[in-house]
Amino acid sequence: MTAVTGWWRGLSGPERFRLYTRLTLQSAILAVAVILAVTTARAWATPGVLIAGAAALLAVEAQPEFATIGRGRKRRWMLPTATAVLVAMWLGYAIAARVLSDEADVDAARSAGIYVAMLAALSIAPFVRHSWWIALGLSVATGVAFGAHPGGMLLVAGITFLVAVFLVGTTLLTRWAITIVDDLERARVVEAKLRVAEERLRFSRDLHDVVGRGFSAIAVKSELASTLLRAGAADRATTEVEEIKTLAVESMDQMRALVRGYRDINLDGEVAGARSLLSAAGCELTVEGDPSAVPAEFHEVAAWVVREATTNIVKHSSATSATITMGSSGMTLRNNGVSSVATDATAGADERSGLRGLAERLAQVGAHIEHSSTADGFVLEVRWEDA
């Protein structure tokens, strides 16, 4: 049970939805096939019903969005094979309904034939072109084949068509829902990447604006000083060199200020940023406690903990919820997606170095960090020196 729970928690939201949809559809087909086979009035009709149910499962398995096994394999043969089997079963029951003389046998053939038509409407019609016309044609043909008289033919065709419309519509809506979920998942990934790209662009723009002008001036004045030296104007060249030195020092100070401003973080800002980033990644963040409860000397390292933990959740887990608890003695971060940083012994060096670098940063201020993987997800605990 623990392994199954861990596997389920390891799936993303879209993967869970797709799995639920596939299992629901195929379980419904299997259950109806078994129930009808058990309750059929004639034993000779039972094998055909089970074969038709298996063919319907094969037809659904042929669709990549509904496949449960071998999703990477080529499955072009599945749908034609399933169609041929269902058509053969339908024709067999239609012939039996016309040639058999016993009323019970005729009723069993009619019931089984209509059931096969329903299976075709559920498992084949939604996945081919002109689904609604195929459903209409199948309903008319079923009415003609299994109706005892003109009125009965019309009744069977009408009932079959209504049920077929419901089945085809339900399946098409399910396919549409899966498409929407996939699009939302792709949009979430793209949004997270865009946030990173925008931050990189902002920093590169600031670096160019602040430092580029100073370096350009240095290059121009260096060329002027070189020209003055060759012309023998040593005094003017000396002046230009002094100005070059001043520009270089100012540019270095500006660059340090820029990098310092980029690297300086505060706890309140990181918590707000974490909530925004995790929301974009499909993870709901809950904050327990108040950042002001964290001792002032640990605010900066606590902010780094929040930033690193947020990065790990986005990059290395499929968490849908996370909790940050802050207090005077430490802080705890939990999420319901098991992080590969803690569980994968073969994880890359960049994945392991994040927590290791964080532990080194915490050690410098007398704090320590522990992380563990549980059945409920991943837990990161930080304790200050007075804990």
Side-chain angles (χ1 to χ4, degrees), residues 188-206:
R188 181 190 70 80
V189 174
V190 170
E191 182 179 1
K193 291 181 178 179
L194 282 176
R195 287 175 181 268
V196 175
E198 288 175 356
E199 180 62 18
R200 289 175 177 173
L201 180 61
R202 184 195 69 80
F203 181 69
S204 64
R205 183 176 60 247
D206 291 347

Side-chain angles (χ1 to χ4, degrees), residues 55 58 76-87:
L58 185 65
R76 295 177 182 176
W77 60 272
M78 289 186 178
L79 187 59
T81 301
T83 303
V85 172
L86 288 172
V87 169

Side-chain angles (χ1 to χ4, degrees), residues 121-140:
L122 175 63
S123 61
I124 295 178
F127 305 109
V128 295
R129 296 180 61 186
H130 311 299
S131 301
W132 301 111
W133 288 109
I134 291 176
L136 178 61
L138 179 63
S139 301
V140 172

Side-chain angles (χ1 to χ4, degrees), residues 207-221:
L207 186 64
H208 176 271
D209 293 343
V210 172
V211 182
R213 182 178 59 183
F215 284 171
S216 298
I218 290 173
V220 172
K221 287 185 172 294

